Amino acid sequence: MRCGRALIILGELIEDYHRRHVLLCIAQLRPENFLKLSKAGIADLLGPERFFKSVRAAVTWLQHQQELWEAELAAAEAAEQAASGIPVHQAFGDEDDDDDDDDDDDDTATTTTASVAAH
């Protein structure tokens, strides 16, 4: 049965994306196909909030989730800096630093960029 195998693969894909923290949404799904996904447990695995009538609605929801994630990340970074006792301007390099060595400023910028990209 092709449909059964496809549902198994879809379930595995959803679980893999979940482990990777990738959000997956389904838009414009026909009611009879939603019923198939529900019977196979896929709708529960994905979550009812991930089904949308339009692509626009799905994209809007994903953008909102991205904003929430960015706010959580910023709050966590601010809490980590506060716990370290290092003022923010020192943690990210003070532009008014009296150090005349231009190479150090470039290294700080590169390190900060690499750190942000790693998160």
Side-chain angles (χ1 to χ4, degrees):
M1 177 187 256
R2 289 185 302 163
C3 186
R5 181 72 184 135
L7 290 172
I8 292 170
I9 292 170
L10 180 59
E12 291 171 355
L13 180 69
I14 291 169
E15 289 173 344
D16 184 50
Y17 280 176
H18 181 72
R19 281 191 296 277
R20 295 169 167 193
H21 305 284
V22 175
L23 296 176
L24 180 67
C25 293
I26 297 179
Q28 298 179 331
L29 187 64
R30 291 186 210 146
E32 62 271 14
N33 291 332
F34 179 79
L35 185 59
K36 289 178 186 177
L37 292 181
S38 293
K39 287 181 179 179
I42 301 295
D44 290 334
L45 182 62
L46 189 58
E49 72 279 1
R50 305 278 180 90
F51 290 88
F52 297 90
K53 290 184 179 187
S54 70
V55 173
R56 176 178 286 199
V59 169
T60 299
W61 184 83
L62 287 167
Q63 289 172 334
H64 179 70
Q65 296 306 306
Q66 178 71 25
E67 291 168 2
L68 292 174
W69 179 80
E70 289 172 354
E72 287 178 19
L73 181 61
E77 287 175 349
E80 185 177 312
Q81 287 175 354
S84 72
I86 300 172
V88 173
H89 70 277
Q90 289 181 2
F92 290 106
D94 189 353
E95 292 181 13
D96 295 332
D97 192 0
D98 293 331
D99 188 5
D100 292 331
D101 187 7
D102 290 334
D103 291 337
D104 287 342
D105 291 340
D106 292 339
D107 291 342
T108 302
T110 303
T111 303
T112 303
T113 303
S115 175
V116 170
H119 291 288

